[in-house]
Amino acid sequence: MTTETLFSISVQPGQPMVGIEFEGEHFRVPAGISVAAALLSFGHGAFRTSIVGSVPRAPYCMMGVCFECLVEIDGTPARQGCMTPVRDGMIIRRQSGAPSLAALGSGEVQ
Ligand code: FES
């Protein structure tokens, strides 16, 4: 399944923008949209790999139910991309398999 043509973002003149980084790529996106919407609009479909089998997974529900959109945000794993608004300077990484318990215990998981 491709997600490249399913999502696009229209930017209005004067709309506030923020800069985010995903896997070393830098993007300017409208402030307030979700991480998942931002990444999908740039053609990034696979946000993580499954714990069993390392199968690429992509956002599905976009409303916080399926947990297919988990990414690492600013060093904190298992963040729901569809429920997290972008923030200027945010650094996002793909999540591979299960996050370590030490990373989850950092106190940043919400
Ligand atoms: S896409 Fe389903 S929880 Fe984020």
Side-chain angles (χ1 to χ4, degrees):
M1 179 178 113
T2 181
T3 56
E4 290 179 33
T5 58
L6 296 177
F7 242 88
S8 66
I9 296 172
S10 62
V11 179
Q12 305 302 316
Q15 185 170 2
M17 303 289 284
V18 297
I20 62 171
E21 177 186 324
F22 178 63
E23 295 292 334
E25 287 186 74
H26 297 266
F27 304 101
R28 299 286 300 166
V29 298
I33 67 171
S34 71
V35 168
L39 298 181
L40 287 171
S41 73
F42 284 97
H44 291 287
F47 284 27
R48 67 180 186 94
T49 57
S50 61
I51 295 171
V52 177
S54 297
V55 178
R57 307 300 298 175
Y60 182 68
C61 72
M62 297 297 284
M63 59 182 189
V65 176
C66 72
F67 288 77
E68 295 291 6
C69 61
L70 296 181
V71 288
E72 179 185 304
I73 297 176
D74 294 333
T76 302
R79 300 289 309 271
Q80 285 179 283
C82 71
M83 302 300 289
T84 306
V86 292
R87 186 183 63 252
D88 196 41
M90 183 177 267
I91 298 174
I92 306 154
R93 304 256 183 264
R94 280 195 180 89
Q95 184 167 304
S96 298
S100 73
L101 290 177
L104 287 172
S106 67
E108 294 294 325
V109 177
Q110 299 173 357

